[in-house]
Structures are given as structure tokens and as C-alpha cells.
Amino acid sequence: MATDIVAQLADSLAKTVVEEKELSYKGQGRKLDDAHSVEEIVKEIQDFDGLQALRLEGNTIGVEAAKTIAKALETKSEIKCCYWSDMFTGRLRSEIPAALISLGDSLMLAGARLTILDLSDNAFGPDGVKGIEKLLKSSACYTLQELRLNNCGMGVGGGKILAASLVECYEKSSKEGAPLSLKVFVAGRNRLENDGATALAQAFQMMGSLEEVHMPQNGINYPGITALAKAMQHNTGLRILNLNDNTFTEKGAVAMAQALKYLNSIQVINFGDCLVRPSGAVAIAESISEGQPILKELNLSFGEITEEAALEVARAIKDKSQLEKLDLNGNCLGVDGCKALIDSLESMNMAEVLGSLSDDDGEPDDDDDDDDDDEDDEEELGEEEIEEEEEEDDEDDKEEKTDSSIKVGSLQVSTPPSTRPPDVASFLSFPSPDKLLKLGDRRAMLIEEQVDVSDVTKTTEAFLKIASVYKEENSEVKAAVLDMSLTFIRLVLSFWCPFFLLILLVSQSEEKVKPVHVVPGHLQALEHVVRQDYFPQENLCSVARLKCSLCCCNSGSFRQTSAGQII
């Protein structure tokens, strides 16, 4: 009862609106390149007494513009909230760290004490994290309550830098008697994987203050999930835990079930698309039955859960009077299992909380009983081999789900088209023209988020995979490949010269680099790229020689025209 009252009080306080002295340029789509382009913004910042919140999201800010804005912020000691998501669209990744450093330095110089820092949807990669590293370690972040870094492409390296920064911030602030007490952490779609998640788990455990954790779609397997579970036990005030679309398996699910025993304030549990499997679901159900008195949402969808395990989950929520939603869609219940689940919930007068079961995969095959054996086999494999197998399994799953219906028991049931976002990882693992087109108009941004352009090998491989699906006879595919090639090369020009990357990849003398089978698309994409104005003119001859070597021709077969074309 006491827990209920505390939770209700917390909700009431969260809904209380405190007026902020805010200056907003949100969503104005301004292209801010230099000092002149931000004159109006700078004047408004300077004239705004007691500025507490600055919204720059939805604009695109260059280095010089960022430096000019930063200069204006140096006197704004009262600023607390920086809403700076999606403000580097179309910028070279090399520009972003410099811009972030300038803005961060100004906050430190001003003596600001931040409570909210939102840099989501900036796709700045590990180098972008380095751009905020100094700020995160400084006294400006000792009071930070919300850190939002969703969809930034941090990768494992960026995750480790972020974790180390938070640890140092906590240690420094603790010495001053007011330890960092972060409440909200958002870092979905960042490719953190096990190592990045494990590093962050150490920071979470030290702080012990988290109320919301959102880390969906990060490629975390059970070692990383287990580390996070251990950390969550120390954050007893946690209200929302969203780890959707990572891979728990039974071991990770059991570890997370143990953590739930410490989390009686939790209201939302999202373990959807996490492959918790039957044993994991049962373990989670047991923990929920013993605690979580104010649980509002439970998502265990797409987890290969069978009828028996689903019924255990249903029994576990019997006394959860505040439950609003139970999602068990996309599991392996079968027609009879779905009916049994609905009947069970109806007998408890809770049928209204159950979400749709339209994507149920039907009863599992007998082979699915060997899951535990498969898990044991995984332990004996190296991490790289596991990831390769998982990518292949994901690909097989996607091919199987292209049908417009699935077999549920003895019935053939229509299923709605998948609503999941386009799978960039699938394209990069198994490139095809169809997959490239399905990525849609945002394909360049999606691939940029998946590829760390500071990594020479990964960057080269990605470029060649894009070019490999080129089809001269298909105008749509041709246009998509050429457009992607231009976008991609613009990104990498600041890190590596493209012709050098290609030479490196096709070189047979480098043992670390796999030889690549050259196809016409590679040559077409390369030729299209080097004709652009922004490509360094002094490199065209080198590109011509490379093209010759790829074609196994004499380098004299090509020459540079006065227009800069390779013929």
C-alpha cells in the first residue's frame, strides 16, 4: 500500500509543469553554417535574461555556427536544459565533435548546472561521444538527471567512452558531497553490444538512481543483459525498463528475472522481441507474481514463448490491479494456446489488458525443444562466430516471414505486413537490390548509423557492398546505388581517401583484409563518385590507375579529360 502511495505521488509530481525560461528554434529547419547565419539566434540568446532551456533540435549546425552560438552561451550560468537532438543533418561526421566541444566548453565556462542533455538522432558515432566527453566529466553535469543519446551510432567504443565519463562524473561529484544521480538514460539503436552494455552497467550500478532505462535495438546478448540485470538490482527506484529487440535467451532472462525481485517500483517492463524463451518467461513470471505491485505494462512479445509459459505469465499478473497492457503477441501459442490464454485472463476479469495475438507463430516444432543444447553450444563459440550465426538466423527468419500468412495449428491465418523498420544489418550482411530499395528514402542515414566511418576496413566493405548491387538495366536500383555512393563518400572524405580504401581492400598482400570479387557496380560507383566537384582533383589520376588495376588492364588505358572525367 505504501508503495502505491509513493508511486502515485511520483506520478503527480512528474505531471507538475514548472515553467522554464526557454528559447526555442525547434524544427525550423535552418541551415546554420557560419557566424552570419546565426546572428539573430546569438542576439536573442544574449538578450534573454535567466535563460534556462535552449532548443536547437531540427536544424543543421556547422562548426563556425556552433562556435558563435557557444560564445553567446558563455554568460548563461542559469541554463539547465539543452535539447540538441537532430542538429547535424547533412554535416560531415568530422565536423560534429568540434561543434560539440565548442558548445560543451561554453557551458563549463558559464558555470552551468545541467539537468537535461538531449543529443539524440545525431548519428555522430564514437567520435561524437569524444566531443561530449569533457562536458560529461565536468561539474556542469554533476546535477544531470536526464541523458538522451538515442540513435547516435555510438558503437562499442562510444559506449565505453560514455561509461567511463559517467563513472568519473560520479566520482568527482561524490567528493563534493552531491553524487551524480541520473534518473533517465536513453540510448536505443546505438550498436552498444555486450562490451558497451557491460561498461555502462558498471556506471549504472555505481549511481543507483535510475528511474528510466531505454536501450532497445543494441545487439546485446545474454552476457551484456546479465551485466545490466546485476546493475538494475542497485536501482531500486526504477519505473521503466525498455530493452526491446536485444537477445536475452534463457540465461539473460533468468538473470533479469532475478533483478526484478528488487524492483517493486517498476511500472513498465518491455522485453519484447528479446527471445526470452519459455524458461525465461516462467522465471520472469515467478518474479512478477511475488512483487511489482504497481506494474502497468508487460511486453514479452516475439520471445518464442509456448502455451504453458504464457499461462504462467497470465497467472502471475492476477493481482496486478494497475496493469493496463499485456503483450504476448508473436509467440508460439498456437490456436489452442491463444484460446487458453484468453480463457485464463477472462476467468480473472483481465481479458481487456491482453493485446493482439494476430502475429502468433503457432505451436513450436519438436526441434525447438533443443534450445538449451543450442545455448550450450554457443558458449563454446567465439563471439564473432555467434554474431555471424545470429545474422544468418535473422536472415532466414525474414525470408520465412515474407509470406502473407502463417500456419497456426491446423489453420492458415493471414498476418499483417511487418511493421518493423528496414533491417540495415541484413542488407550489409547479405546485399541485394531488393533490400536496398526497401530501406526507403532514408537509406543513406540508416546505413550511416550502422557503419563507423572512422574504421577503414568496415567503411570500405560497406561501400563495396552498396556498389555490388548496381544494375544498369534497373533504373531505380541504379539511381539508389549511385546516390548512396555519393552520400557515403561525402561522409568518409574527412577520414580516409576513398581510392586508398579500395586499394587496401583488394590488396592481396594484407593478411587482415579479405580479397573482394570485383563486379561492374564497383567500377560504376567509383567512376560516378570521382566526377563530383567535391572529390579532390589531385587524386583523379590515382583513381584512374586503381580502376585499371581492378579491370586487370594497363593503366594507360585510362586518361583524365579536362573536365575531370575518367575515360
Side-chain angles (χ1 to χ4, degrees):
M1 181 63 68
T3 307
D4 290 358
I5 295 172
V6 172
Q8 290 170 5
L9 179 59
D11 282 345
S12 298
L13 290 173
K15 293 174 182 176
T16 301
V17 178
V18 179
E19 185 177 354
E20 293 177 344
K21 293 183 177 181
E22 178 182 282
L23 187 57
S24 177
Y25 303 94
K26 180 179 179 180
Q28 294 184 9
R30 300 191 188 191
K31 192 171 188 296
L32 308 172
D33 296 322
D34 49 31
H36 176 71
S37 64
V38 294
E39 284 180 352
E40 177 189 347
I41 294 176
V42 167
K43 187 177 187 308
E44 290 180 349
I45 291 174
Q46 291 172 338
D47 294 343
F48 200 121
D49 292 332
L51 179 64
Q52 293 183 353
L54 178 61
R55 289 188 173 273
L56 295 173
E57 65 263 56
N59 299 285
T60 176
I61 301 175
V63 176
E64 292 305 315
K67 287 181 179 179
T68 307
I69 293 172
K71 190 68 177 175
L73 289 173
E74 289 179 358
T75 60
K76 301 301 174 181
S77 60
E78 296 180 42
I79 192 165
K80 296 178 180 179
C81 306
C82 298
Y83 301 100
W84 295 347
S85 63
D86 188 22
M87 64 176 195
F88 295 114
T89 301
R91 302 292 172 181
L92 292 175
R93 191 173 290 186
S94 59
E95 295 180 80
I96 300 175
L100 290 173
I101 289 171
S102 297
L103 292 167
D105 286 350
S106 70
L107 296 172
M108 291 184 283
L109 186 60
R113 291 292 186 269
L114 298 182
T115 57
I116 298 175
L117 179 60
D118 186 355
L119 289 166
S120 298
D121 300 317
N122 279 313
F124 47 50
D127 288 334
V129 184
K130 292 177 183 177
I132 59 172
E133 182 179 8
K134 184 179 176 183
L135 173 63
L136 290 173
K137 293 177 179 179
S138 74
S139 60
C141 288
Y142 288 0
T143 53
L144 197 62
Q145 295 183 13
E146 296 186 18
L147 179 58
R148 300 178 181 273
L149 296 167
N150 200 58
N151 192 29
C152 287
M154 291 188 289
V156 174
K160 289 181 176 180
I161 295 169
L162 175 61
S165 300
L166 292 174
V167 168
E168 185 169 333
C169 183
Y170 177 82
E171 291 173 344
K172 286 181 176 179
S173 58
S174 296
K175 290 178 181 178
E176 295 194 5
L180 172 66
S181 298
L182 194 67
K183 289 181 170 57
V184 178
F185 180 82
V186 181
R189 298 187 67 192
N190 270 292
R191 299 180 288 116
L192 295 171
E193 301 178 7
N194 290 330
D195 289 347
T198 300
L200 285 167
Q202 295 172 355
F204 297 163
Q205 183 168 328
M206 291 181 70
M207 292 185 291
S209 57
L210 289 166
E211 296 179 5
E212 294 185 25
V213 174
H214 303 263
M215 297 175 65
Q217 296 183 8
N218 269 297
I220 308 171
N221 299 325
Y222 75 83
I225 294 298
T226 301
L228 288 172
K230 183 179 179 182
M232 292 306 110
Q233 294 180 23
H234 297 266
N235 290 265
T236 55
L238 195 68
R239 295 185 296 108
I240 299 175
L241 181 57
N242 177 7
L243 295 173
N244 187 283
D245 201 5
N246 290 291
T247 308
F248 283 35
T249 66
E250 179 185 345
K251 290 183 179 179
V254 169
M256 197 57 72
Q258 182 64 26
L260 290 176
K261 294 179 180 180
Y262 297 82
L263 306 177
N264 281 329
S265 296
I266 201 159
Q267 298 178 26
V268 178
I269 299 173
N270 187 342
F271 297 159
D273 210 1
C274 285
L275 202 66
V276 298
R277 293 178 174 160
S279 297
V282 170
I284 291 170
E286 289 176 356
S287 293
I288 289 175
S289 66
E290 298 168 2
Q292 287 73 53
I294 56 173
L295 186 65
K296 293 183 177 180
E297 293 185 19
L298 176 60
N299 185 345
L300 294 175
S301 60
F302 298 94
E304 293 189 358
I305 299 172
T306 56
E307 175 185 345
E308 294 78 8
L311 292 174
E312 287 293 331
V313 173
R315 285 188 282 269
I317 64 167
K318 180 179 180 180
D319 298 321
K320 310 305 174 190
S321 59
Q322 296 189 36
L323 192 71
E324 299 171 357
K325 182 179 180 181
L326 172 64
D327 192 345
L328 289 169
N329 199 16
N331 284 299
C332 305
L333 309 185
V335 172
D336 293 339
C338 289
K339 184 178 184 303
L341 176 61
I342 293 171
D343 290 343
S344 176
L345 290 170
E346 285 181 343
S347 70
M348 297 184 288
N349 294 319
M350 297 188 70
E352 72 279 359
V353 304
L354 182 63
S356 171
L357 297 174
S358 61
D359 289 328
D360 188 82
D361 272 346
E363 296 179 10
D365 298 328
D366 293 338
D367 292 342
D368 292 343
D369 295 334
D370 298 330
D371 284 340
D372 293 338
D373 295 336
D374 294 341
E375 238 178 66
D376 293 337
D377 292 341
E378 279 186 356
E379 290 185 49
E380 300 175 4
L381 295 175
E383 185 172 343
E384 183 176 348
E385 293 174 294
I386 293 173
E387 291 173 352
E388 290 175 356
E389 287 190 357
E390 287 174 348
E391 288 175 354
E392 292 172 1
D393 291 342
D394 289 345
E395 182 64 17
D396 292 337
D397 290 343
K398 290 176 180 65
E399 290 177 359
E400 291 171 4
K401 292 177 183 178
T402 55
D403 294 335
S404 60
S405 62
I406 57 174
K407 189 174 183 181
V408 182
S410 59
L411 301 176
Q412 202 75 12
V413 182
S414 297
T415 60
S418 174
T419 57
R420 297 187 190 182
D423 193 338
V424 178
S426 174
F427 169 76
L428 292 175
S429 299
F430 305 91
S432 73
D434 184 57
K435 288 180 184 176
L436 181 64
L437 294 179
K438 284 182 178 179
L439 293 177
D441 295 337
R442 295 179 66 251
R443 61 179 70 93
M445 183 182 298
L446 292 172
I447 290 183
E448 177 191 347
E449 291 167 1
Q450 288 286 330
V451 179
D452 179 5
V453 296
S454 65
D455 187 315
V456 59
T457 304
K458 291 181 180 178
T459 301
T460 311
E461 289 175 349
F463 176 78
L464 291 175
K465 285 177 179 178
I466 293 167
S468 69
V469 303
Y470 177 93
K471 285 187 177 295
E472 181 68 33
E473 66 277 10
N474 189 321
S475 59
E476 188 177 8
V477 173
K478 177 181 176 181
V481 169
L482 296 182
D483 179 63
M484 280 289 299
S485 300
L486 290 180
T487 302
F488 205 77
I489 291 302
R490 287 193 193 101
L491 290 171
V492 302
L493 271 175
S494 58
F495 285 96
W496 312 98
C497 189
F499 73 85
F500 167 72
L501 294 181
L502 293 172
I503 291 174
L504 175 64
L505 198 64
V506 300
S507 172
Q508 301 296 320
S509 62
E510 288 285 347
E511 294 181 359
K512 295 190 220 175
V513 182
K514 298 178 182 178
V516 170
H517 175 66
V518 177
V519 297
H522 295 149
L523 307 179
Q524 296 290 347
L526 177 63
E527 183 167 359
H528 183 68
V529 164
V530 300
R531 289 183 178 183
Q532 308 309 309
D533 294 338
Y534 57 76
F535 196 92
Q537 295 297 303
E538 63 271 17
N539 291 328
L540 291 179
C541 291
S542 298
V543 175
R545 286 194 295 273
L546 169 62
K547 186 172 179 182
C548 291
S549 65
L550 291 176
C551 293
C552 299
C553 298
N554 187 293
S555 60
S557 302
F558 296 90
R559 59 187 175 85
Q560 181 182 348
T561 68
S562 59
Q565 296 179 338
I566 305 298
I567 59 175

